[in-house]
Amino acid sequence: MQMYHPTASFSDLTVRNVEALAQEEDNVIDLWCCGNTDKCAMGEKVVIIGKMSAKPCK
Amino acid sequence: MKYCLFLEFMACMLCACTRSVSTNDIILSDENCVVELSLSGDDSGLIEGLYASGSKNATKIVLLDFHNGKSFSLRDFRKQDALIRFGEIGHGEKEIPLGCTGYMCDSSFVVFSDETHCIVTYDLNHIDLENTNVHRYDIENAQFCQIIPVDSNRYVGMGVYADEYQYVLFDKNDNVVTSAFRVYNYNDSHFNTFHKFLSNQGRMEKHPKQNKFVAFIYNSKNIDFFEIANDSIHRISSQREQSPNYECVTRNGLSRVLPSDNSIVGYIDLCTTDDYVYVLYSESEFMSGTDSSDIVLVYDWDGELCSRVKMPQPACYIAALDDQLLAVVETATGEYILKGYCVRNVPHIN
């Protein structure tokens, strides 16, 4: 019977997948629509008001 | 009276002491600050705009500081408290939606809303409903981020017209007189109609006395100087030094333009006097989260860069009164302060 060893390493494929996921998460950028002036996003029926900002709104 | 004269004398002395490092740089210090007052009080909110007429001897300023159901406060720039609040929020006949920006000339303040298609003119000497004038406009294929009156019968709008042009001259009967200056991305197929408008928002101001205009778009170093004469928009100078760098996204019917990694903050705000155009500018990357700057680029009305003014503190918004550069500064504790720097004798680049 083969015992599960808690320190066993992940397969190369698993490691590559985890690294890719981490890389993807690192690339996520948070943006905020702040304030009451200008327009952040637009569609036929919806307009989101605000200035796009790379830091949280005041 | 003697006290006032003494203060005037001291202000002139401070102006004369403005430190010029080279022929084109002005380093301002706190000693050049001749006015400083707190804008944070019980009757003010988040400040999102500062307006002044740029005229000689003018003392009135308008703040876009939505609070208590009204968008703006009229102030004397030397006094702490607002003279009056105006700009009722709503969709009634003489009401405006939240977030409208404006343009100030000597005795009036003009606000527009591209949602309700109204242009509202307030008489700053007598702000009441009787003296508030409303004009409705409807220009097909146009989306505006700013509208400024040219004369009693015409307006110039900044935004995107017919997916192609940045500026439109139209009259009170909704006739398009002319349009001019292609937007930087007019032939880029990645940009739909909404993307084009979102990527070409900015600020426009007028010469206090002449039909000359200056406008920039956000996240760029693109600025236009133009003049309106004989039903035409004449280019004085167009500087497209760095266009915005956006990725276009459309999801669930909603279009957005997202700044790319190398996008800059670029131009932030501008104001004008008879002689100069002052533009608040930052070379910081957009992703740094910067929304203020201590650098003001000074242009003449030919579009020539005359000098760079470095203020002692970063400002969010600027306005000009004669020879004073007004700046809204936000402190570390979130308090807003209005500072008035003397900028007499702007040196020209040789």
Side-chain angles (χ1 to χ4, degrees):
Chain A
M1 182 181 166
Q2 191 175 357
M3 294 290 290
Y4 171 70
H5 195 288
T7 58
S9 57
F10 293 114
S11 71
D12 283 351
L13 181 63
T14 307
V15 169
R16 278 201 299 272
N17 283 341
V18 169
E19 281 177 348
L21 191 62
Q23 184 70 32
E24 231 173 59
E25 285 184 349
D26 279 348
N27 285 340
V28 171
I29 298 165
D30 290 327
L31 295 171
W32 289 265
C33 282
C34 299
N36 302 303
T37 63
D38 300 296
K39 288 168 185 164
C40 243
M42 300 174 78
E44 293 293 345
K45 294 179 179 174
V46 177
V47 173
I48 297 179
I49 302 286
K51 269 196 176 83
M52 197 166 284
S53 171
K55 69 176 181 184
C57 307
K58 295 166 188 167
Chain B
M1 182 64 185
K2 280 182 181 173
Y3 181 66
C4 290
L5 287 172
F6 174 73
L7 285 179
E8 180 72 15
F9 171 74
M10 289 303 291
C12 290
M13 290 298 289
L14 288 170
C15 287
C17 292
T18 304
R19 190 173 150 226
S20 179
V21 169
S22 67
T23 53
N24 56 342
D25 283 348
I26 301 173
I27 309 292
L28 297 176
S29 70
D30 285 329
E31 289 180 353
N32 302 113
C33 181
V34 291
V35 171
E36 180 172 335
L37 58 96
S38 172
L39 296 173
S40 297
D42 292 341
D43 65 341
S44 58
L46 175 73
I47 293 178
E48 298 183 81
L50 171 68
Y51 309 93
S53 68
S55 303
K56 287 190 188 305
N57 304 319
T59 59
K60 287 177 180 170
I61 60 168
V62 170
L63 281 176
L64 171 51
D65 56 350
F66 169 63
H67 179 71
N68 207 19
K70 296 181 180 180
S71 275
F72 303 100
S73 62
L74 175 67
R75 292 166 184 258
D76 184 311
F77 82 104
R78 298 163 301 192
K79 295 176 183 170
Q80 184 112 10
D81 297 325
L83 300 170
I84 191 170
R85 296 202 63 85
F86 68 101
E88 280 82 354
I89 304 297
H91 286 80
E93 191 194 343
K94 293 189 175 180
E95 295 175 331
I96 54 171
L98 179 59
C100 294
T101 57
Y103 164 74
M104 185 170 172
C105 51
D106 277 344
S107 60
S108 61
F109 189 68
V110 183
V111 176
F112 91 102
S113 165
D114 213 30
E115 270 66 60
T116 59
H117 290 196
C118 69
I119 299 169
V120 183
T121 305
Y122 300 93
D123 180 348
L124 293 178
N125 293 322
H126 305 282
I127 295 179
D128 57 35
L129 288 180
E130 274 188 20
N131 289 308
T132 301
N133 177 270
V134 180
H135 171 72
R136 305 274 168 192
Y137 69 91
D138 188 10
I139 307 298
E140 208 173 332
N141 297 323
Q143 292 176 292
F144 296 124
C145 60
Q146 186 130 22
I147 291 176
I148 292 179
V150 177
D151 50 41
S152 59
N153 189 47
R154 299 180 300 172
Y155 299 96
V156 61
M158 176 193 182
V160 179
Y161 174 65
D163 272 357
E164 191 164 351
Y165 295 102
Q166 187 95 63
Y167 310 104
V168 187
L169 180 65
F170 61 97
D171 66 20
K172 283 197 167 175
N173 296 318
D174 292 339
N175 298 310
V176 172
V177 179
T178 188
S179 55
F181 295 18
R182 285 192 165 107
V183 295
Y184 77 94
N185 49 359
Y186 78 97
N187 60 353
D188 189 332
S189 60
H190 294 100
F191 289 79
N192 65 25
T193 298
F194 298 123
H195 292 137
K196 279 186 183 166
F197 175 74
L198 292 167
S199 58
N200 280 285
Q201 297 177 95
R203 294 266 294 115
M204 177 169 67
E205 278 286 335
K206 183 179 175 294
H207 188 286
K209 297 188 181 76
Q210 302 169 18
N211 278 335
K212 290 180 178 176
F213 297 80
V214 54
F216 69 75
I217 54 174
Y218 295 131
N219 303 131
S220 84
K221 204 175 177 188
N222 291 2
I223 190 165
D224 294 325
F225 295 79
F226 61 92
E227 184 170 17
I228 293 176
N230 301 327
D231 287 346
S232 297
I233 298 176
H234 300 286
R235 189 190 305 267
I236 297 173
S237 167
S238 271
Q239 294 160 35
R240 307 282 171 111
E241 291 183 27
Q242 188 170 348
S243 294
N245 193 354
Y246 292 126
E247 178 193 352
C248 298
V249 177
T250 301
R251 198 169 293 156
N252 299 326
L254 211 54
S255 296
R256 292 168 291 162
V257 289
L258 304 180
S260 304
D261 286 346
N262 56 352
S263 285
I264 59 166
V265 174
Y267 294 128
I268 300 170
D269 197 14
L270 84 168
C271 57
T272 63
T273 63
D274 288 354
D275 299 321
Y276 298 110
V277 172
Y278 299 90
V279 192
L280 189 61
Y281 174 73
S282 171
E283 284 185 352
S284 299
E285 290 184 357
F286 174 85
M287 293 306 173
S288 69
T290 303
D291 59 2
S292 60
S293 176
D294 57 0
I295 297 296
V296 174
L297 304 179
V298 186
Y299 295 88
D300 64 20
W301 278 100
D302 290 328
E304 292 290 326
L305 181 64
C306 303
S307 58
R308 283 163 51 102
V309 173
K310 187 173 184 347
M311 299 181 289
Q313 290 164 294
C316 316
Y317 303 100
I318 56 171
L321 274 178
D322 197 2
D323 59 355
Q324 275 194 45
L325 180 64
L326 305 181
V328 173
V329 172
E330 188 181 6
T331 66
T333 56
E335 185 189 6
Y336 291 108
I337 294 174
L338 181 71
K339 295 202 166 198
Y341 298 105
C342 197
V343 286
R344 207 169 283 172
N345 303 322
V346 173
H348 279 253
I349 293 172
N350 293 324

